[in-house]
Amino acid sequence: MFKRAIVRKPSKNFQDGITKSNLGKPIYNKALKQHSNYVKVLDNCGLEIIKLNADDRFPDSTFVEDTAIVNEEFAIITNIGTLSRKGEEVEIKQVLEMFYDNIESIKKPGTVDGGDVLKVENCYYIGLSKRTNKEGARQLIEVLRKYGYSYVTIPLTNVLHLKSGVSYIGDNNLIAAGEFIDNLNFIGYNIIKVKENEKYAANSVKINNYVLIPKGFEKLKESILSLGYKIIEIEMSEFRKLDGGLSCLSLRF
Ligand code: GLY
């Protein structure tokens, strides 16, 4: 069970964040409303919410998930693989120090984005992407081995982050889109296939008794409901415009 989450309000220059989506500029006030609703949902899932102030130095800083990898035992501060986001991790580290004695860090030339790291029970899947390089993965693996976790690395082809295309919702169920549907690394899981026109929703997240999915993706919603899960849908339109998924908006531990 997760007990708490760190979130950060979108900054005033949020619309200058990195994107390849071609969905237009996000509308700031709408993003604030959607973020505040997201926080309410986390609260309803039983989490204590640690709310950080907006940081106008970093347009992408609301996507806190990229700054760290956290579980019950340790936190790893990442080194985000894109220049405009370097420094976002500093305040996150200060907050995590209140909760963890064991804090590790990825150091340059290693880079890792938290969005490339998917925990499935005791195994971590690590996407090798434009943001997460081999040296970053090597350092991450060193920490995982120290704590007794297994790991698998997966080179990415079409997605920004590993978790842009695959999510784990417990009980052996993986939600997968595109290049991950037939990926040999995921043989043995029950794959909930996401259709091409719903691929944004492959980034969903299970928090305690609920699966949180982006609003408006009916086929995926039906598939998850048919497995007996309880779902909460969240409007994500403004974050999607910046290639941000639902999991990106929080660090849960
Ligand atoms: N806009 C989110 C990212 O590129 O990191």
Side-chain angles (χ1 to χ4, degrees):
M1 295 285 276
F2 293 111
K3 291 191 188 130
R4 51 183 78 87
I6 300 174
V7 296
R8 190 193 284 283
K9 205 169 143 181
S11 61
K12 287 204 185 73
N13 55 357
F14 170 68
Q15 60 167 22
D16 299 329
I18 309 164
T19 186
K20 290 209 161 61
S21 77
N22 277 329
L23 294 171
K25 286 274 180 202
I27 299 162
Y28 182 58
N29 283 337
K30 227 169 146 183
L32 286 182
K33 267 196 203 136
Q34 290 178 4
H35 192 264
S36 138
N37 178 55
Y38 180 92
V39 172
K40 259 188 222 142
V41 169
L42 297 192
D43 184 49
N44 290 342
C45 291
L47 302 187
E48 173 201 343
I49 315 291
I50 300 149
K51 287 187 207 165
L52 305 186
N53 291 329
D55 188 339
D56 296 342
R57 294 170 302 165
F58 302 111
D60 283 298
S61 55
T62 193
F63 302 120
V64 289
E65 187 183 50
D66 289 319
T67 62
I69 296 147
V70 284
N71 69 18
E72 314 76 40
E73 289 177 88
F74 61 79
I76 305 173
I77 308 301
T78 63
N79 180 23
I80 298 186
T82 188
L83 210 54
S84 69
R85 299 194 60 185
K86 287 198 192 291
E88 286 182 22
E89 73 289 352
V90 174
E91 194 181 346
I92 300 287
K93 182 171 184 227
Q94 289 163 359
V95 175
L96 288 172
E97 278 167 351
M98 294 191 261
F99 299 98
Y100 287 94
D101 294 326
N102 303 325
I103 300 199
E104 314 269 354
S105 294
I106 304 296
K107 297 185 179 66
K108 67 176 187 185
T111 61
V112 171
D113 275 20
D116 278 323
V117 183
L118 173 69
K119 183 173 186 288
V120 180
E121 307 300 345
N122 287 326
C123 181
Y124 278 84
Y125 290 84
I126 305 164
L128 296 173
S129 67
K130 293 203 170 81
R131 301 286 181 86
T132 297
N133 66 16
K134 284 188 181 155
E135 170 57 18
R138 188 197 64 73
Q139 292 179 29
L140 174 56
I141 288 165
E142 212 170 86
V143 178
L144 297 175
R145 290 175 71 145
K146 185 163 104 183
Y147 287 91
Y149 288 87
S150 57
Y151 59 89
V152 176
T153 53
I154 305 181
L156 308 186
T157 49
N158 294 318
V159 285
L160 170 63
H161 287 133
L162 176 68
K163 285 189 282 195
S164 312
V166 59
S167 306
Y168 182 63
I169 56 170
D171 296 320
N172 207 44
N173 293 315
L174 272 186
I175 300 173
E179 66 201 76
F180 304 112
I181 290 177
D182 295 318
N183 192 301
L184 297 181
N185 290 298
F186 296 130
I187 283 176
Y189 294 107
N190 175 42
I191 302 290
I192 304 165
K193 293 182 189 167
V194 183
K195 292 191 182 310
E196 192 56 22
N197 65 346
E198 293 203 346
K199 65 183 178 196
Y200 175 71
N203 179 274
S204 292
V205 64
K206 178 156 189 292
I207 300 186
N208 300 341
N209 297 324
Y210 297 94
V211 177
L212 279 45
I213 67 168
K215 194 169 181 149
F217 299 91
E218 293 306 315
K219 290 274 179 246
L220 179 63
K221 181 177 160 187
E222 280 166 29
S223 307
I224 299 173
L225 284 173
S226 73
L227 293 171
Y229 288 100
K230 288 192 274 190
I231 282 186
I232 304 178
E233 289 177 275
I234 304 185
E235 183 55 72
M236 288 290 297
S237 65
E238 303 315 295
F239 300 101
R240 185 180 184 186
K241 289 174 183 173
L242 290 190
D243 297 333
L246 203 148
S247 73
C248 311
L249 290 179
S250 59
L251 267 173
R252 306 152 299 277
F253 57 106

